Amino acid sequence: MKRAVALLPLLLLAGACDNMKHQASRARADAAISSPPGTVSWRPRTLAAQTSLAATVPTAIAALRRGRERFNIYCAPCHGEDGYGGGIVVRRGFPAPPSYHEARLRAATDAQILEVIARGYGVMPGFADRIPSADRQAIVGYVRALQLSQHATLADVPPADRVSLSQ
């Protein structure tokens, strides 16, 4: 009986090791499954996906409206509604945050912006406990829209729509 009790942990470990052999193939199979429409992986699988996470966030008008609404509630008091960093608290003496329109922040990845929103940076507090993940992603989409609004060129407009701009 004592011998059986002593062997039980070894049997359990041996069974667990066998299971580990199959986990790698299961992980590869899981990676091949695409995400449902309208969702974004919390951890991009490739560097290309990490540098353009907002491109995978739905850009529907509703998503941008939600992003603008959340931005105006949580971000605009410091960053200003235009994203230049001149919000009401800055006009009252609080240190100015950087402008979203400077080259450094236009070049920042969406993952970096999401991280700053969630965890904070400098004097900015983290908002992970107040802004749900989907809303943080909508905010990033809206920040990208703000940036594009100030730095778009004619080349950014689809050829079919360029005609209407020249009229």
Side-chain angles (χ1 to χ4, degrees):
M1 179 70 178
K2 288 182 182 179
R3 181 176 259 177
V5 172
L7 289 176
L8 184 61
L10 291 175
L11 291 172
L12 291 174
L13 284 174
C17 291
D18 183 56
N19 187 29
M20 294 295 281
K21 285 190 278 186
H22 303 291
Q23 285 185 356
S25 62
R26 248 186 260 131
R28 281 192 293 276
D30 290 346
I33 298 172
S34 62
S35 298
T39 63
V40 177
S41 172
W42 70 274
R43 182 175 291 169
R45 292 187 179 113
T46 65
L47 182 59
Q50 183 178 6
T51 59
S52 186
L53 185 58
T56 62
V57 175
T59 55
I61 297 300
L64 287 174
R65 284 185 180 143
R66 179 70 178 182
R68 179 182 61 198
E69 177 189 62
R70 301 287 102 183
F71 178 89
N72 286 340
I73 291 169
Y74 293 105
C75 311
C78 294
H79 291 277
E81 289 185 8
D82 57 5
Y84 279 99
I88 188 69
V89 297
V90 173
R91 293 192 300 263
R92 301 241 166 106
F94 201 74
S99 167
Y100 285 124
H101 305 291
E102 57 186 57
R104 177 181 64 87
L105 290 182
R106 286 195 329 266
T109 66
D110 298 338
Q112 290 170 320
I113 296 173
L114 283 168
E115 181 75 11
V116 170
I117 294 170
R119 301 196 192 287
Y121 185 81
V123 297
M124 178 181 156
F127 286 89
D129 61 336
R130 290 166 266 187
I131 305 174
S133 178
D135 285 345
R136 292 193 301 266
Q137 292 170 359
I139 289 170
V140 171
Y142 182 68
V143 166
R144 294 302 189 196
L146 278 176
Q147 291 171 329
L148 183 60
S149 75
Q150 300 299 302
H151 300 281
T153 65
L154 191 56
D156 295 319
V157 179
D161 294 331
R162 290 181 193 167
V163 175
S164 65
L165 290 176
S166 62
Q167 295 173 351

